[in-house]
Amino acid sequence: MAFSFMLDANVADAAAVKKTVSSASGKKSVAHKAARKDVNATRLEEVTVTARRRSERIERTPISMTTVTGTQFTERGITSLAKIQDMAPNISFGNVASNSGVANAAAVFIRGIGQTDFSFGVDPGVGMYVDGVYVGSPVGAVLNMVDIANVSVLRGPQGTLFGRNTIGGAVSVSSLTPNSQLSAKADVKYGTADRINGRVFFNVPLSKTLFANFSAGSFMQDGYVHAPNQKNQRELGNQDTQVYKGALRWHPIDKLNVTLRGDWTRDRSNGAPYVTTGVNPDATGSMIALNNAMHGGTLLNCPGAGCYNSSYFSKNTNYGSQPDYSNLTSWSTSGTVDYELSQYFDLKSITAYRKTVGAFAQDRDSSPIGINYVTDHYLEKQFSEEFQVNGHALSNRLHYSAGVYYFAQSGADVNPTEFYVESLQSGGYFKDKNYAAYAQETYNITKKLTFTAGVRYTEDNKTFTPDQYITKVIGAPIVSTPVGTRIVPYQSYHNNNARWTPMVNLSYQFTPELMGYTTFSQGFKGGGFTQRLTNITNAPPSFRPESVNTFEGGLKFYGLNHRLRISAAGFFTFYDDVQLLVSDATHIGPYYTNAGKAHISGFELEGQYALGDGWTVSGSVGETDAHYTSLTASVQGLGLNSMFVLVSKWTANAGVSKRIDLGQYGSLTPRVDATYRSRYNANLNAIMYNALIQPKYITVNMSARWVSANQKYNAMVGLDNASNEKFMAWGSYSGSFGNYQKSFDRGRQWYIQGGVAF
């Protein structure tokens, strides 16, 4: 079971959470007697969500979802959004450098469905939303916690209210909203490898109707993979990130709220932490084998100078000589207008713009030999507009939500690449446009029986203009293609799709404490193009949309005098036209294909229990049983028994906390959290290899947090991954090169932290 405790929360935006803290656990106390009563509280706080565009108690919302507040992240010492995978079942949130050097790219999977690549040619399978705005690219989406109000994980297709590319689910992040209370907080953390994190936040009422907040964060830490052959003998896997965010809310009348938000992030890194641990003995036709043959050896026996051999294999050292780096700068702005036309009718508009500029590179063979070096010059811009109508009628028995949505994305990923046998410019330019309209209604047939139905229509149009040509070749008899030869004609190519995605749901309130529901929903992810081409062709290979049909049933309970909250859900998914990133012996680089069909089944179980006397536990466990049922002939090496990428069959985490009343000296809360993942296929390029299977593992985090009696001061000490598990976060293999590339977790980390709040 996964154990955590519920803490204070903040008013959140759509698809996030509002929490109303009960009088037994949330009111600030001045008197020692009142403080003691607060510490020994035995009731869970109320949790209200707006995942269906209206406020509902979480135990009466017929959706499988997990919500974690910003305070909970703080209480656990967490500063990265990726750690949400340790707090919710059936989710994997990785930070991967998929066939590139980018050090901040989210690879999110929910219930076995997601995506590992940031390429413009493919969409993510789990939608990321920040303050109600869809984030179109995974690059830069591993957010640092600065002013986060809460994070919600919605499992299963969310294609009605959220749209395409949410066939696995959605992750919704909500920032703190400006309010009328003058407040401020700040904290500083120091830890392993000169880790220095600093955060500051303040909220200011500018007038009776105008409120503002501002936050800033700096996240610094040395790397942990040595790179002795690179400039200044740098270390990979470091962090050098600055984040600035601000918001302005205008509330001139009770019926109108206008909120403007903006943020700016700069991320500078030496590159992703990866190494080469060996070569595949079967890769006798690889470029490494060719290099060794030209130096008088074989793939596995080449001791001379210029040979690629075990001297470059390591778990903590990268021997590459060409520079690794990952530089990203992004900014965004959004405006939300929420107007209550009447007590039955609400209008909402969300307008947003986002831009990301990046440059990253990776010496993927981890040696001074020029086997495989990739560079990306990256630019992404997006604009979105959504109009919503939300309301209720028929004496509050009918609730409805409808809207229209527009999304435009454009950018470039120019991708110079050096191989042992040739060099080329890959990549190109992209333009995507998406139009959608949707409606969903919930009708209370009786006081206990409720019916919900919704549908969304989506048009998804992609345009790819590849700018790809040969820049250098090794020469005859190996490769003698003339320099300047186009790999694919320099023109625009289109991939257009349109889909209806319906949803129906039936829920029944058996007792005031117990609710059951069943749901059928559809979702799809748009088609696209293979961006990285090496074989000369008449047009870039394209692939069709993938789609799912999911059946789900669940139970939610909240009782025992508000001390116990449990939710359970089971699901079965028919997964068609599975989009897969593959690297096999038929291509030098990775390519996309519709690999076939699959079935995914499983369940989630979550709960919280307030034991009393300061003790609190909570828990979750999830199963994802994913397997292919039929495969196309387009992939070599993939079988019906092949494991999905980065997907564990079992996920769980466990923890317990105890608040200790120290009287006038405040309170102390020690806690222990454990996370379990069963084995998974770490190869981002899909094909299973024993060397890239990560065995099951358990990590344990320990911490103790002190808070002063007046709640103004806090201090914390912690030890993450206390057992020092060096598990493989991701791996990569291509038969054209022959080496196993791996990225391991940093391992055990300690930290101390101090903070103040007014």
Side-chain angles (χ1 to χ4, degrees):
M1 301 286 290
F3 296 82
S4 62
F5 63 98
M6 311 297 287
L7 296 163
D8 294 339
N10 305 278
V11 177
D13 293 325
V17 163
K18 302 174 184 175
K19 293 200 173 229
T20 304
V21 183
S22 67
S23 59
S25 62
K27 291 183 178 179
K28 291 185 178 180
S29 177
V30 179
H32 169 52
K33 182 177 180 180
R36 182 182 300 276
K37 181 179 179 181
D38 178 63
V39 168
N40 295 326
T42 58
R43 293 179 58 157
L44 297 172
E45 54 191 348
E46 301 295 329
V47 182
T48 304
V49 300
T50 56
R52 299 199 298 176
R53 308 274 170 84
R54 59 190 175 97
S55 295
E56 301 173 286
R57 287 164 48 188
I58 193 169
E59 63 272 7
R60 299 210 172 177
T61 305
I63 297 174
S64 179
M65 63 182 296
T66 300
T67 297
V68 182
T69 70
T71 307
Q72 285 180 281
F73 285 113
T74 298
E75 292 284 346
R76 294 172 181 243
I78 293 174
T79 58
S80 172
L81 179 60
K83 293 299 182 180
I84 189 69
Q85 72 170 5
D86 296 338
M87 306 172 76
N90 284 345
I91 178 174
S92 169
F93 197 123
N95 183 6
V96 306
S98 180
N99 300 283
S100 73
V102 63
N104 186 322
V108 187
F109 287 78
I110 296 178
R111 291 181 173 178
I113 299 175
Q115 189 52 257
T116 62
D117 197 8
F118 69 89
S119 166
F120 280 114
V122 67
D123 294 321
V126 172
M128 176 79 72
Y129 293 81
V130 178
D131 298 317
V133 177
Y134 174 67
V135 179
S137 172
V139 173
V142 185
L143 304 178
N144 293 284
M145 299 295 178
V146 178
D147 70 338
I148 302 300
N150 50 67
V151 179
S152 291
V153 178
L154 289 77
R155 291 179 286 271
Q158 305 295 320
T160 303
L161 293 180
F162 287 85
R164 87 202 204 290
N165 306 337
T166 58
I167 62 173
V171 176
S172 178
V173 180
S174 290
S175 306
L176 295 172
T177 298
N179 57 56
S180 60
Q181 182 178 357
L182 179 64
S183 62
K185 60 182 179 179
D187 59 44
V188 176
K189 175 185 288 186
Y190 180 79
T192 300
D194 283 335
R195 179 183 185 180
I196 303 176
N197 295 349
R199 300 183 295 184
V200 62
F201 169 86
F202 59 87
N203 185 91
V204 180
L206 302 177
S207 71
K208 291 184 178 180
T209 61
L210 189 64
F211 321 108
N213 67 27
F214 178 79
S215 59
S218 176
F219 304 87
M220 309 282 290
Q221 189 173 25
D222 293 341
Y224 61 98
V225 171
H226 311 301
N229 295 331
Q230 295 199 24
K231 184 179 180 180
N232 299 325
Q233 297 185 348
R234 58 172 53 187
E235 293 188 334
L236 308 180
N238 70 315
Q239 185 177 24
D240 180 0
T241 306
Q242 295 180 6
V243 181
Y244 301 92
K245 299 179 68 175
L248 189 68
R249 182 168 73 95
W250 183 45
H251 185 51
I253 57 177
D254 288 342
K255 294 184 177 182
L256 177 63
N257 268 296
V258 179
T259 304
L260 304 178
R261 298 185 184 274
D263 66 80
W264 182 86
T265 301
R266 192 210 70 171
D267 191 350
R268 297 291 182 267
S269 170
N270 295 338
Y274 70 100
V275 294
T276 286
T277 60
V279 296
N280 183 351
D282 297 326
T284 55
S286 65
M287 295 185 199
I288 290 176
L290 175 62
N291 171 80
N292 288 0
M294 296 185 70
H295 289 83
T298 64
L299 174 65
L300 301 179
N301 184 15
C302 190
C307 289
Y308 193 98
N309 52 38
S310 60
S311 62
Y312 303 123
F313 305 161
S314 174
K315 286 192 174 183
N316 57 21
T317 302
N318 183 301
Y319 295 98
S321 58
Q322 298 199 69
D324 283 60
Y325 56 86
S326 179
N327 301 326
L328 292 172
T329 301
S330 65
W331 65 272
S332 69
T333 182
S334 67
T336 301
V337 180
D338 196 342
Y339 183 69
E340 185 181 344
L341 193 63
S342 74
Q343 61 176 322
Y344 308 107
F345 193 71
D346 182 87
L347 298 176
K348 191 172 187 178
S349 168
I350 304 175
T351 308
Y353 178 83
R354 181 182 181 91
K355 181 177 180 179
T356 300
V357 179
F360 28 93
Q362 188 176 76
D363 191 343
R364 293 177 57 79
D365 53 81
S366 307
S367 79
I369 305 170
I371 303 293
N372 184 11
Y373 183 68
V374 297
T375 307
D376 287 83
H377 302 288
Y378 181 88
L379 169 66
E380 187 258 347
K381 297 182 289 184
Q382 69 169 68
F383 171 82
S384 62
E385 174 61 52
E386 182 170 7
F387 292 105
Q388 300 176 10
V389 178
N390 305 296
H392 60 90
L394 302 179
S395 300
N396 216 35
R397 295 182 66 180
L398 176 68
H399 294 264
Y400 59 87
S401 180
V404 292
Y405 178 74
Y406 171 76
F407 175 82
Q409 183 182 43
S410 62
D413 185 11
V414 179
N415 184 209
T417 303
E418 300 176 20
F419 301 142
Y420 185 74
V421 297
E422 66 180 5
S423 297
L424 53 92
Q425 176 172 291
S426 186
Y429 310 94
F430 294 83
K431 289 185 179 180
D432 301 340
K433 289 189 177 182
N434 178 265
Y435 310 85
Y438 61 88
Q440 180 170 303
E441 62 84 25
T442 298
Y443 182 69
N444 297 325
I445 300 173
T446 68
K447 290 183 178 181
K448 294 186 175 183
L449 182 63
T450 301
F451 174 76
T452 300
V455 67
R456 188 182 189 105
Y457 176 75
T458 302
E459 289 190 7
D460 188 40
N461 305 318
K462 287 186 172 64
T463 300
F464 176 33
T465 306
D467 189 8
Q468 307 190 11
Y469 51 87
I470 304 294
T471 58
K472 182 180 178 181
V473 295
I474 194 172
I478 300 172
V479 176
S480 58
T481 307
V483 171
T485 299
R486 286 275 171 185
I487 297 173
V488 63
Y490 184 53
Q491 64 185 60
S492 295
Y493 301 87
H494 305 280
N495 192 321
N496 302 330
N497 307 279
R499 292 289 178 95
W500 291 89
T501 50
M503 182 276 293
V504 291
N505 171 277
L506 196 65
S507 63
Y508 189 79
Q509 197 70 40
F510 294 99
T511 70
E513 296 84 15
L514 179 64
M515 184 265 286
Y517 69 91
T518 182
T519 303
F520 167 75
S521 57
Q522 288 186 345
F524 88 102
K525 185 172 78 169
F529 299 93
T530 293
Q531 170 184 315
R532 306 177 186 94
L533 304 177
T534 53
N535 299 335
I536 295 175
T537 182
N538 293 326
S542 62
F543 49 90
R544 300 183 303 278
E546 62 178 16
S547 61
V548 297
N549 291 280
T550 296
F551 299 86
E552 178 180 324
L555 294 169
K556 293 193 174 187
F557 175 85
Y558 183 43
L560 295 186
N561 195 27
H562 302 285
R563 295 173 57 195
L564 177 64
R565 179 182 288 118
I566 296 177
S567 63
F571 62 91
F572 193 92
T573 297
F574 295 91
Y575 192 7
D576 294 331
D577 290 319
V578 178
Q579 296 173 5
L580 207 60
L581 178 66
V582 178
S583 185
D584 60 23
T586 64
H587 296 73
I588 294 178
Y591 66 97
Y592 280 95
T593 185
N594 294 105
K597 298 182 178 181
H599 288 170
I600 307 174
S601 60
F603 71 91
E604 295 103 17
L605 177 64
E606 296 181 273
Q608 301 90 37
Y609 189 25
L611 300 174
D613 195 28
W615 289 95
T616 311
V617 297
S618 66
S620 70
V621 62
E623 181 200 22
T624 301
D625 186 6
H627 59 274
Y628 296 104
T629 57
S630 64
L631 295 171
T632 67
S634 60
V635 182
Q636 292 186 2
L638 193 70
L640 294 179
N641 294 324
S642 294
M643 299 171 64
F644 280 36
V645 179
L646 298 182
V647 176
S648 295
K649 183 175 182 178
W650 293 98
T651 58
N653 54 78
V656 60
S657 68
K658 162 69 173 175
R659 290 190 67 192
I660 303 171
D661 179 21
L662 303 178
Q664 63 179 327
Y665 300 106
S667 64
L668 180 68
T669 305
R671 65 176 302 121
V672 178
D673 297 283
T675 300
Y676 170 80
R677 286 190 68 182
S678 62
R679 71 188 190 114
Y680 56 86
N681 175 16
N683 183 14
L684 301 179
N685 295 328
I687 309 302
M688 283 179 57
Y689 297 93
N690 289 335
L692 295 179
I693 299 296
Q694 168 60 44
K696 61 184 179 182
Y697 66 87
I698 297 175
T699 59
V700 178
N701 300 335
M702 298 181 291
S703 66
R705 190 170 191 262
W706 169 82
V707 180
S708 65
N710 61 7
Q711 306 290 308
K712 289 185 177 181
Y713 306 101
N714 62 80
M716 188 174 186
V717 296
L719 188 65
D720 290 340
N721 195 354
S723 56
N724 202 28
E725 290 284 344
K726 298 293 185 68
F727 58 88
M728 190 178 5
W730 56 268
S732 182
Y733 177 79
S734 171
S736 299
F737 306 106
N739 63 310
Y740 293 116
Q741 184 184 30
K742 299 181 182 180
S743 179
F744 295 97
D745 184 75
R746 183 187 288 265
R748 184 186 298 116
Q749 298 188 69
W750 62 268
Y751 62 87
I752 57 175
Q753 178 176 299
V756 61
F758 296 98

